[in-house]
Amino acid sequence: MLDRIPFLIGLRYTRAKRRNHFISFISLTSMLGLTLGVAVLILVLSVMNGFDHELRTRVLGMVPHTRIEAQNGVNDWRALAEQMQKHDHVVGAAPYIEQQGMFSSRGQTQGAMIEGILPDAEEKVSIIGNHMVGGTLSSLQQGEWNVVLGSGLARNLGVALGDSVTLLVPEASITPGGVFPRLKRFTVSGIFQVGAQLDGNLAYTSLGDMKTLARQSGEAQGVRLKLDDLFQAHAVTRDIINSMPPGYRGIDWTYTQGNLFQAIQMEKRMIGLLLMVIVAVAAFNIVSTLVMVVTDKHADIAILRTLGATPGSIMGIFMVQGITIGIIGIVLGVLAGIGLALSIADIISWVESAFGIQFLDPSVYFISYLPSRLEFSDVLVVTGVALLLSFLSTLYPAWRAARVQPAEVLRYE
């Protein structure tokens, strides 16, 4: 029964209406501070997880995990792909020819990266086929001079399915009449949209047509590979190049998108630490709350001590009170954070539609919407740290309460 006394009295102090309204206000502020800090921390970590996930699934779903190319082109890409697929981490291979150029249509021009591909093989290394909003990838057949544009690129050029665009490549053709830029007219046979920056600067055409336009020696420029673990890209690329004869080089995704991925990881850690300070400040507000409660309850403490309560029991009373305040604030914060994390994309979408604004410009950011991905491990870490800080905040006030001398207090009562 004695062991239950600190728990029962601590909960009673928490529920009781205080005569000192200022103490009640500080207690409520501490609770709301914890709620706000925990909710914001869970929400921000979920958004950063969303950016990380979108980078992996969308951007890195379009960008090859690694690519192996030869200086003078690949004469037999199928044999090369078969050799590379013997590696444990390689799950797909496809040929490509890459060329920078400028599209022009109706007085509008836009630079882009043009990829010459084989549609059937491309589906093994890219998610492009899953994000077609018009036409099909299979329309890219040699000799038909079709092109599949990103939605942003098509919008900037003002073209739709069936329209014609002119591609200018940065190489000149020498003719008897002089030196002329190399131009070719394409028909838009497809439009894709992945919701990323690639929508505005990427296009696909047939491997054979690009080979003719780029005057590529060999069947392809190189082979793009898809891996079962994209974080093994650097090691896999090194292993493959070491097994190849001279004249080959490997380029993995860390060279093109690695800085972006590292920036997201660093921002997640730094923002998490900064927001944890908010939780810490809210938790340590419990200190001021309990110090004032201890001062207000000196007479009660003295009476309990004269009735036989030990200093440990007195400490337990105020620790229970402080931890209860912390638990209520943390639980409310976790519930609010989970709710916001699951609905933030819809909320932002509604705000954009209602006010006609766009928070993420796809020409600046690698995606055009605010992603969110709630991870249970983040919720556990935030909850655990907040509970620890709340517990530590109760120690000093509880220790001061245990040092109250009954004789000194009751002398003036």
Side-chain angles (χ1 to χ4, degrees):
M1 184 64 183
L2 291 176
D3 294 336
R4 297 176 57 191
I5 288 177
F7 182 75
L8 295 175
I9 297 178
L11 291 180
R12 181 180 177 83
Y13 279 175
T14 303
R15 296 193 305 267
K17 294 182 179 180
R18 303 186 189 281
R19 292 168 297 176
N20 191 329
H21 295 289
F22 182 69
I23 296 177
S24 299
F25 174 75
I26 295 297
S27 177
L28 179 62
T29 301
S30 303
M31 190 180 300
L32 292 178
L34 275 172
T35 299
L36 180 62
V38 170
V40 170
L41 186 52
I42 291 175
L43 173 61
V44 171
L45 290 178
S46 298
V47 170
M48 298 306 295
N49 290 335
F51 276 106
D52 178 81
H53 180 261
E54 292 301 310
L55 174 63
R56 297 191 193 188
T57 58
R58 289 183 180 267
V59 177
L60 294 183
M62 297 285 291
V63 175
H65 293 170
T66 188
R67 55 186 180 181
I68 308 298
E69 59 184 35
Q71 184 175 359
N72 298 319
V74 177
N75 293 321
D76 188 354
W77 72 265
R78 289 179 176 81
L80 182 63
E82 184 178 353
Q83 177 183 350
M84 294 176 183
Q85 286 180 305
K86 294 179 180 178
H87 196 285
D88 294 338
H89 292 287
V90 177
V91 295
Y96 74 94
I97 297 176
E98 189 175 77
Q99 177 73 59
Q100 289 184 338
M102 180 173 293
F103 284 102
S104 175
S105 178
R106 302 173 184 176
Q108 302 295 324
T109 59
Q110 176 76 42
M113 182 67 71
I114 305 94
E115 301 277 356
I117 62 170
L118 290 179
D120 293 339
E122 189 67 16
E123 294 181 351
K124 299 177 182 178
V125 299
S126 172
I127 63 172
I128 175 64
N130 300 328
H131 294 274
M132 298 294 296
V133 294
T136 61
L137 200 64
S138 60
S139 63
L140 301 180
Q141 300 299 322
Q142 183 174 356
E144 296 185 4
W145 298 100
N146 290 329
V147 65
V148 172
L149 304 178
S151 58
L153 181 58
R155 183 173 57 252
N156 293 337
L157 294 173
V159 297
L161 290 178
D163 292 341
S164 296
V165 294
T166 301
L167 174 63
L168 183 150
V169 296
E171 293 183 11
S173 298
I174 301 176
T175 68
V179 179
F180 295 93
R182 294 167 60 187
L183 305 172
K184 185 61 185 177
R185 202 164 187 82
F186 286 83
T187 300
V188 178
S189 63
I191 296 176
F192 69 86
Q193 181 175 4
V194 294
Q197 195 174 22
L198 297 173
D199 291 341
N201 56 25
L202 185 62
Y204 291 93
T205 189
S206 165
L207 181 71
D209 291 345
M210 181 54 66
K211 179 178 182 297
T212 301
L213 184 63
R215 296 178 180 175
Q216 174 70 47
S217 60
E219 291 183 345
Q221 178 181 343
V223 175
R224 300 195 295 188
L225 304 178
K226 181 179 181 180
L227 310 179
D228 58 358
D229 184 359
L230 60 90
F231 293 105
Q232 296 292 328
H234 188 70
V236 172
T237 303
R238 185 180 61 248
D239 292 343
I240 292 176
I241 291 299
N242 289 338
S243 65
M244 302 291 292
Y248 287 89
R249 69 168 184 166
I251 304 173
D252 62 77
W253 69 270
T254 60
Y255 288 97
T256 57
Q257 306 292 334
N259 290 337
L260 178 60
F261 181 79
Q262 292 175 1
I264 291 176
Q265 294 295 312
M266 184 182 70
E267 288 176 3
K268 179 182 177 180
R269 289 192 291 267
M270 295 306 298
I271 291 176
L273 289 174
L274 291 175
L275 291 178
M276 191 60 73
V277 173
I278 298 177
V279 178
V281 170
F284 282 106
N285 278 340
I286 297 175
V287 176
S288 58
T289 300
L290 291 183
V291 167
M292 287 185 286
V293 171
V294 169
T295 303
D296 189 54
K297 298 294 185 181
H298 268 190
D300 294 356
I301 295 171
I303 293 173
L304 289 171
R305 289 294 305 276
T306 58
L307 291 175
T310 64
S313 298
I314 300 299
M315 281 191 68
I317 291 171
F318 292 97
M319 289 177 67
V320 167
Q321 184 180 1
I323 292 174
T324 300
I325 294 173
I327 288 176
I328 294 173
I330 292 168
V331 169
L332 293 176
V334 168
L335 295 177
I338 292 175
L340 287 172
L342 295 176
S343 59
I344 188 63
D346 295 331
I347 294 174
I348 295 298
S349 178
W350 178 84
V351 171
E352 290 180 338
S353 300
F355 296 97
I357 58 177
Q358 188 172 24
F359 288 100
L360 297 177
D361 186 347
S363 64
V364 178
Y365 302 97
F366 72 92
I367 60 176
S368 58
Y369 57 95
L370 189 67
S372 178
R373 183 178 177 85
L374 182 66
E375 294 188 1
F376 187 62
S377 58
D378 288 338
V379 177
L380 285 180
V381 170
V382 172
T383 304
V385 173
L387 286 173
L388 177 62
L389 292 174
S390 299
F391 170 75
L392 294 176
S393 300
T394 66
L395 295 180
Y396 174 70
W399 175 74
R400 283 194 57 177
R403 294 188 62 194
V404 171
Q405 300 298 324
E408 293 293 330
V409 175
L410 296 177
R411 178 185 302 173
Y412 303 105
E413 292 292 329

